[in-house]
Amino acid sequence: MSSLKFYFNTARKLLHDKSNQFSRNIVSISIAGVALGIVVMIAAISITTGYKQVIYEKVASMGAHIRISNYDQNYSFEPIPFDKNQTFVQEIQQMPEIKSVQRFSTKSGVVKTSDQVEGIVLKGIDESFDKEHFRPNLIEGELLDLSDTLPSKEIIISNTLAKKLQLKLGDKVRTYFVQDPPMQRSFTIVGIFETGLPEYDSKFALVDLKQVQKLNLWNENQIGGMEILLHDFEYVEQARNNIDAKIGYQLKAESIQQIFPEIFQWIALFDTNVVVLLIITFCVCLVTIMSIFFIIVIEQTSTIGILKTLGMKTDAVVKLFLALAARILVRGLLWGNIIAFALCIAQKAGHFIKLDAATYYISYVPISFNIPLILAVNLAVLILCMLVLSLPAYLVARKSSPITAIKFD
């Protein structure tokens, strides 16, 4: 411990030598370069993590993490029904990763106003629907009242449909369904939602599940599917496999990635972009610290000669200059983390940097701190830079003889 203290104290004195202003300026530039690099890395990680988290929540808020449906059903909005009273439901609800299980069904049709016609998909929900999970999407009005035994005539439509059809809260919506026999229903708008996801906002509306059952000529026990919400999205594939093993061969369990592959393929590109950005930023940091390290070592050549003359061995000289490099790196990492967290916290609280919601599904740059990954990046930068710098430090210390080093100017 005492030897380490000696190396770091000596390194500190070399870095703060007031007789050499040039060296001090170089050190400041080096610290700034490392700090800037770590700011970029932390910002990239936090933005990507935040963006993925927001999109996952948005997609799950209108659907779920896992969906159970009839095995023969395709991806249309006319589901093949099955009985809601399944023996596996209680088993699934007891799984630790499961938050809730909700029943639903869909029905496609058209909605007509005095001068507009638009396609619509009614999503029927019942009392099992997780209202609190959906509530952040509600921008106006209230949720459906499903307490009555009679089918509710209320509807919640998307803000996109409301603008297209020039509808508002309290308006009547007349919907038509092409089937045998043809049917029509009239609903009253009690709420308007917006997820920011065109896949939902362009066509979906929420109604009472009993209405969809009547339109499909089903009995009260028949549903189109079950949606399962998890406490943690990270366990979705594991939970899907466990659920699929419990529901039998007539039903299938699909994860949200399987239902909306295009969204998650697009999100996956963010991970690739972040990895490339981290590698490029690390290389820039490494080149910066190596260049400045060489300048400092060359500038301290006479110091190396004096130390060797006093009996310091090559390995000890190497350790001294690695301690010097470590001080620069640690200070750069410290300042970089402080600046990065300050900027990210400000963005998280104030949403100062905006995005085009039509393109990015969200109106601002989201932030979420992945602390383990941020710590890993800091540690990786420190360790890898120290490993790379150890070679030139050893070569310079080994090749420098006391006489030539002392004469070096």
Side-chain angles (χ1 to χ4, degrees):
M1 184 62 71
S2 59
S3 61
L4 284 176
K5 187 177 180 180
F6 164 77
Y7 291 129
F8 280 102
N9 284 338
T10 307
R12 179 178 59 82
K13 291 177 181 178
L14 290 176
L15 290 175
H16 293 84
D17 184 4
K18 294 183 178 181
S19 64
N20 200 331
Q21 187 64 33
F22 177 74
S23 178
R24 295 179 67 189
N25 291 336
I26 287 295
V27 170
S28 298
I29 294 172
S30 178
I31 292 172
V34 174
L36 181 59
I38 205 67
V39 166
V40 172
M41 292 182 186
I42 292 176
I45 293 170
S46 300
I47 291 171
T48 303
T49 303
Y51 193 82
K52 289 167 65 176
Q53 182 177 322
V54 168
I55 297 301
Y56 291 160
E57 290 175 355
K58 280 180 173 289
V59 176
S61 66
M62 272 298 289
H65 297 113
I66 299 170
R67 183 179 69 185
I68 298 175
S69 58
N70 196 295
Y71 190 84
D72 295 327
Q73 180 179 326
N74 54 27
Y75 290 101
S76 73
F77 297 112
E78 299 293 330
I80 300 172
F82 61 90
D83 196 288
K84 68 179 182 181
N85 299 311
Q86 300 286 336
T87 56
F88 60 76
V89 174
Q90 189 173 0
E91 293 182 59
I92 292 175
Q93 290 174 329
Q94 292 175 349
M95 293 169 60
E97 62 267 35
I98 303 302
K99 180 183 178 184
S100 63
V101 179
Q102 55 195 36
R103 299 174 289 271
F104 80 100
S105 190
T106 55
K107 182 68 177 179
S108 59
V110 295
V111 57
K112 184 179 182 302
T113 62
S114 58
D115 59 347
Q116 296 281 342
V117 176
E118 195 73 32
I120 194 171
V121 177
L122 300 184
K123 180 177 180 178
I125 60 174
D126 63 7
E127 67 280 358
S128 65
F129 184 71
D130 193 332
K131 294 181 179 180
E132 296 308 313
H133 194 69
F134 175 78
R135 193 180 295 277
N137 296 322
L138 197 66
I139 61 174
E140 195 175 353
E142 56 188 18
L143 298 171
L144 299 177
D145 182 5
L146 303 174
S147 59
D148 200 342
T149 55
L150 296 175
S152 172
K153 293 185 178 181
E154 297 176 343
I155 188 172
I156 301 176
I157 68 170
S158 71
N159 192 39
T160 302
L161 285 175
K163 288 180 178 179
K164 282 184 180 180
L165 300 172
Q166 299 180 346
L167 296 171
K168 61 183 184 302
L169 291 179
D171 286 351
K172 297 289 184 180
V173 175
R174 190 171 293 275
T175 55
Y176 298 86
F177 306 92
V178 180
Q179 58 186 68
D180 188 17
M183 292 188 180
Q184 64 89 19
R185 289 289 186 274
S186 181
F187 299 98
T188 301
I189 299 175
V190 297
I192 297 175
F193 73 88
E194 184 173 51
T195 66
L197 300 173
E199 290 79 2
Y200 289 132
D201 294 343
S202 62
K203 50 180 173 281
F204 274 93
L206 298 181
V207 298
D208 191 342
L209 177 60
K210 299 185 190 73
Q211 291 284 6
V212 176
Q213 288 172 329
K214 292 183 69 175
L215 288 168
N216 287 332
L217 305 178
W218 296 348
N219 63 49
E220 61 181 11
N221 290 326
Q222 290 180 301
I223 58 174
M226 293 181 181
E227 294 176 326
I228 299 169
L229 287 168
L230 307 181
H231 292 291
D232 190 340
F233 183 85
E234 295 298 322
Y235 300 103
V236 64
E237 195 57 36
Q238 175 186 331
R240 189 202 70 81
N241 291 331
N242 293 337
I243 292 169
D244 202 38
K246 296 178 184 295
I247 60 178
Y249 65 91
Q250 292 183 332
L251 302 174
K252 61 181 177 181
E254 298 171 288
S255 67
I256 199 168
Q257 295 100 320
Q258 293 171 316
I259 300 171
F260 298 104
E262 65 284 352
I263 293 179
F264 290 93
Q265 287 171 3
W266 180 67
I267 292 176
L269 293 176
F270 280 78
D271 293 330
T272 303
N273 294 339
V274 168
V275 171
V276 173
L277 180 60
L278 291 178
I279 292 173
I280 292 174
T281 307
F282 171 75
C283 290
V284 171
C285 285
L286 188 60
V287 171
T288 301
I289 194 69
M290 282 188 66
S291 302
I292 294 173
F293 182 73
F294 272 117
I295 293 173
I296 294 173
V297 170
I298 291 172
E299 191 179 45
Q300 297 294 337
T301 301
S302 60
T303 304
I304 296 173
I306 294 171
L307 292 173
K308 282 195 167 186
T309 302
L310 294 174
M312 182 176 281
K313 295 182 179 180
T314 299
D315 289 345
V317 175
V318 172
K319 290 177 183 178
L320 173 61
F321 280 94
L322 287 180
L324 184 146
R327 289 188 65 90
I328 295 174
L329 283 168
V330 170
R331 289 177 65 184
L333 291 174
L334 180 61
W335 279 109
N337 279 268
I338 292 172
I339 295 170
F341 274 95
L343 293 175
C344 289
I345 289 171
Q347 172 61 22
K348 189 173 184 177
H351 299 164
F352 300 111
I353 304 176
K354 303 295 182 181
L355 294 175
D356 180 9
T359 303
Y360 295 99
Y361 301 153
I362 186 171
S363 60
Y364 61 91
V365 174
I367 298 292
S368 180
F369 296 113
N370 188 334
I371 300 301
L373 183 56
I374 291 173
L375 290 175
V377 167
N378 276 272
L379 193 60
V381 170
L382 179 61
I383 293 174
L384 291 175
C385 284
M386 292 298 293
L387 287 175
V388 172
L389 292 176
S390 62
L391 180 60
Y394 178 77
L395 291 176
V396 171
R398 184 172 177 271
K399 295 292 184 182
S400 299
S401 64
I403 296 176
T404 57
I406 292 172
K407 289 182 178 181
F408 180 82
D409 188 359

mmCIF file of all heavy atoms in Angstrom, residues 166-183:
data_model
loop_
_atom_site.group_PDB
_atom_site.id
_atom_site.type_symbol
_atom_site.label_atom_id
_atom_site.label_comp_id
_atom_site.label_asym_id
_atom_site.label_seq_id
_atom_site.Cartn_x
_atom_site.Cartn_y
_atom_site.Cartn_z
ATOM 1 N N GLN A 166 -63.022 14.247 -37.200
ATOM 2 C CA GLN A 166 -63.496 15.472 -36.542
ATOM 3 C C GLN A 166 -64.490 15.147 -35.418
ATOM 4 O O GLN A 166 -65.594 15.683 -35.344
ATOM 5 C CB GLN A 166 -64.135 16.413 -37.578
ATOM 6 C CG GLN A 166 -63.169 16.859 -38.656
ATOM 7 C CD GLN A 166 -63.792 17.795 -39.673
ATOM 8 O OE1 GLN A 166 -65.016 17.930 -39.753
ATOM 9 N NE2 GLN A 166 -62.963 18.448 -40.465
ATOM 10 N N LEU A 167 -64.043 14.266 -34.533
ATOM 11 C CA LEU A 167 -64.873 13.832 -33.413
ATOM 12 C C LEU A 167 -64.290 14.356 -32.107
ATOM 13 O O LEU A 167 -63.098 14.632 -32.009
ATOM 14 C CB LEU A 167 -64.944 12.304 -33.361
ATOM 15 C CG LEU A 167 -65.614 11.614 -34.559
ATOM 16 C CD1 LEU A 167 -65.409 10.108 -34.486
ATOM 17 C CD2 LEU A 167 -67.106 11.949 -34.615
ATOM 18 N N LYS A 168 -65.138 14.458 -31.089
ATOM 19 C CA LYS A 168 -64.707 14.913 -29.773
ATOM 20 C C LYS A 168 -65.471 14.143 -28.714
ATOM 21 O O LYS A 168 -66.379 13.350 -29.021
ATOM 22 C CB LYS A 168 -64.922 16.408 -29.620
ATOM 23 C CG LYS A 168 -66.362 16.864 -29.754
ATOM 24 C CD LYS A 168 -66.463 18.362 -29.662
ATOM 25 C CE LYS A 168 -67.912 18.842 -29.706
ATOM 26 N NZ LYS A 168 -68.632 18.434 -30.911
ATOM 27 N N LEU A 169 -65.109 14.375 -27.440
ATOM 28 C CA LEU A 169 -65.782 13.699 -26.334
ATOM 29 C C LEU A 169 -67.283 13.969 -26.363
ATOM 30 O O LEU A 169 -67.723 15.099 -26.598
ATOM 31 C CB LEU A 169 -65.210 14.173 -24.993
ATOM 32 C CG LEU A 169 -63.776 13.773 -24.651
ATOM 33 C CD1 LEU A 169 -63.382 14.346 -23.296
ATOM 34 C CD2 LEU A 169 -63.619 12.263 -24.635
ATOM 35 N N GLY A 170 -68.055 12.917 -26.128
ATOM 36 C CA GLY A 170 -69.505 13.041 -26.107
ATOM 37 C C GLY A 170 -70.171 12.795 -27.439
ATOM 38 O O GLY A 170 -71.401 12.610 -27.502
ATOM 39 N N ASP A 171 -69.388 12.777 -28.541
ATOM 40 C CA ASP A 171 -69.982 12.533 -29.860
ATOM 41 C C ASP A 171 -70.394 11.075 -30.008
ATOM 42 O O ASP A 171 -69.825 10.177 -29.377
ATOM 43 C CB ASP A 171 -68.980 12.888 -30.963
ATOM 44 C CG ASP A 171 -68.810 14.389 -31.126
ATOM 45 O OD1 ASP A 171 -69.589 15.138 -30.500
ATOM 46 O OD2 ASP A 171 -67.891 14.812 -31.855
ATOM 47 N N LYS A 172 -71.367 10.855 -30.881
ATOM 48 C CA LYS A 172 -71.808 9.502 -31.212
ATOM 49 C C LYS A 172 -70.988 8.974 -32.387
ATOM 50 O O LYS A 172 -70.703 9.711 -33.332
ATOM 51 C CB LYS A 172 -73.292 9.496 -31.577
ATOM 52 C CG LYS A 172 -74.229 9.911 -30.456
ATOM 53 C CD LYS A 172 -74.306 8.844 -29.379
ATOM 54 C CE LYS A 172 -75.326 9.237 -28.311
ATOM 55 N NZ LYS A 172 -75.438 8.222 -27.230
ATOM 56 N N VAL A 173 -70.605 7.721 -32.303
ATOM 57 C CA VAL A 173 -69.850 7.068 -33.374
ATOM 58 C C VAL A 173 -70.658 5.885 -33.877
ATOM 59 O O VAL A 173 -71.015 4.988 -33.103
ATOM 60 C CB VAL A 173 -68.472 6.585 -32.867
ATOM 61 C CG1 VAL A 173 -67.759 5.803 -33.965
ATOM 62 C CG2 VAL A 173 -67.614 7.758 -32.425
ATOM 63 N N ARG A 174 -70.949 5.891 -35.175
ATOM 64 C CA ARG A 174 -71.711 4.779 -35.757
ATOM 65 C C ARG A 174 -70.750 3.880 -36.535
ATOM 66 O O ARG A 174 -70.045 4.335 -37.434
ATOM 67 C CB ARG A 174 -72.812 5.302 -36.671
ATOM 68 C CG ARG A 174 -73.808 4.235 -37.133
ATOM 69 C CD ARG A 174 -74.992 4.851 -37.853
ATOM 70 N NE ARG A 174 -75.791 5.641 -36.929
ATOM 71 C CZ ARG A 174 -76.742 5.152 -36.145
ATOM 72 N NH1 ARG A 174 -76.996 3.844 -36.168
ATOM 73 N NH2 ARG A 174 -77.446 5.942 -35.374
ATOM 74 N N THR A 175 -70.709 2.608 -36.152
ATOM 75 C CA THR A 175 -69.809 1.648 -36.785
ATOM 76 C C THR A 175 -70.602 0.573 -37.520
ATOM 77 O O THR A 175 -71.703 0.192 -37.093
ATOM 78 C CB THR A 175 -68.901 0.979 -35.729
ATOM 79 O OG1 THR A 175 -69.712 0.399 -34.712
ATOM 80 C CG2 THR A 175 -67.975 1.998 -35.104
ATOM 81 N N TYR A 176 -70.007 0.076 -38.607
ATOM 82 C CA TYR A 176 -70.676 -0.926 -39.449
ATOM 83 C C TYR A 176 -69.743 -2.120 -39.639
ATOM 84 O O TYR A 176 -68.520 -1.957 -39.766
ATOM 85 C CB TYR A 176 -71.041 -0.320 -40.807
ATOM 86 C CG TYR A 176 -72.006 0.839 -40.710
ATOM 87 C CD1 TYR A 176 -71.530 2.138 -40.495
ATOM 88 C CD2 TYR A 176 -73.378 0.636 -40.812
ATOM 89 C CE1 TYR A 176 -72.404 3.210 -40.392
ATOM 90 C CE2 TYR A 176 -74.259 1.703 -40.721
ATOM 91 C CZ TYR A 176 -73.765 2.982 -40.501
ATOM 92 O OH TYR A 176 -74.648 4.038 -40.394
ATOM 93 N N PHE A 177 -70.342 -3.310 -39.703
ATOM 94 C CA PHE A 177 -69.573 -4.540 -39.793
ATOM 95 C C PHE A 177 -70.131 -5.409 -40.911
ATOM 96 O O PHE A 177 -71.320 -5.752 -40.909
ATOM 97 C CB PHE A 177 -69.614 -5.287 -38.454
ATOM 98 C CG PHE A 177 -69.169 -4.435 -37.299
ATOM 99 C CD1 PHE A 177 -70.090 -3.698 -36.568
ATOM 100 C CD2 PHE A 177 -67.827 -4.341 -36.979
ATOM 101 C CE1 PHE A 177 -69.683 -2.894 -35.525
ATOM 102 C CE2 PHE A 177 -67.410 -3.535 -35.926
ATOM 103 C CZ PHE A 177 -68.342 -2.807 -35.204
ATOM 104 N N VAL A 178 -69.229 -5.750 -41.854
ATOM 105 C CA VAL A 178 -69.624 -6.557 -43.006
ATOM 106 C C VAL A 178 -69.557 -8.018 -42.620
ATOM 107 O O VAL A 178 -68.476 -8.596 -42.482
ATOM 108 C CB VAL A 178 -68.713 -6.263 -44.219
ATOM 109 C CG1 VAL A 178 -69.142 -7.110 -45.409
ATOM 110 C CG2 VAL A 178 -68.740 -4.787 -44.564
ATOM 111 N N GLN A 179 -70.727 -8.636 -42.421
ATOM 112 C CA GLN A 179 -70.802 -10.039 -42.041
ATOM 113 C C GLN A 179 -72.208 -10.536 -42.377
ATOM 114 O O GLN A 179 -73.005 -9.823 -42.978
ATOM 115 C CB GLN A 179 -70.516 -10.206 -40.548
ATOM 116 C CG GLN A 179 -71.457 -9.411 -39.640
ATOM 117 C CD GLN A 179 -71.055 -9.477 -38.187
ATOM 118 O OE1 GLN A 179 -70.030 -8.947 -37.808
ATOM 119 N NE2 GLN A 179 -71.863 -10.141 -37.371
ATOM 120 N N ASP A 180 -72.482 -11.749 -42.022
ATOM 121 C CA ASP A 180 -73.795 -12.320 -42.311
ATOM 122 C C ASP A 180 -74.478 -12.702 -40.987
ATOM 123 O O ASP A 180 -74.077 -13.685 -40.353
ATOM 124 C CB ASP A 180 -73.651 -13.560 -43.208
ATOM 125 C CG ASP A 180 -75.005 -14.088 -43.695
ATOM 126 O OD1 ASP A 180 -75.987 -13.315 -43.611
ATOM 127 O OD2 ASP A 180 -75.052 -15.249 -44.143
ATOM 128 N N PRO A 181 -75.493 -11.935 -40.585
ATOM 129 C CA PRO A 181 -76.041 -10.727 -41.229
ATOM 130 C C PRO A 181 -75.199 -9.493 -40.914
ATOM 131 O O PRO A 181 -74.501 -9.471 -39.897
ATOM 132 C CB PRO A 181 -77.413 -10.616 -40.556
ATOM 133 C CG PRO A 181 -77.207 -11.177 -39.186
ATOM 134 C CD PRO A 181 -76.233 -12.289 -39.338
ATOM 135 N N PRO A 182 -75.250 -8.441 -41.765
ATOM 136 C CA PRO A 182 -74.538 -7.192 -41.490
ATOM 137 C C PRO A 182 -75.050 -6.568 -40.184
ATOM 138 O O PRO A 182 -76.219 -6.701 -39.839
ATOM 139 C CB PRO A 182 -74.873 -6.311 -42.696
ATOM 140 C CG PRO A 182 -75.295 -7.263 -43.759
ATOM 141 C CD PRO A 182 -75.959 -8.408 -43.055
ATOM 142 N N MET A 183 -74.142 -5.918 -39.464
ATOM 143 C CA MET A 183 -74.529 -5.297 -38.200
ATOM 144 C C MET A 183 -73.966 -3.885 -38.096
ATOM 145 O O MET A 183 -73.019 -3.531 -38.793
ATOM 146 C CB MET A 183 -74.026 -6.136 -37.016
ATOM 147 C CG MET A 183 -74.687 -7.482 -36.869
ATOM 148 S SD MET A 183 -74.202 -8.278 -35.323
ATOM 149 C CE MET A 183 -75.116 -9.820 -35.440
#
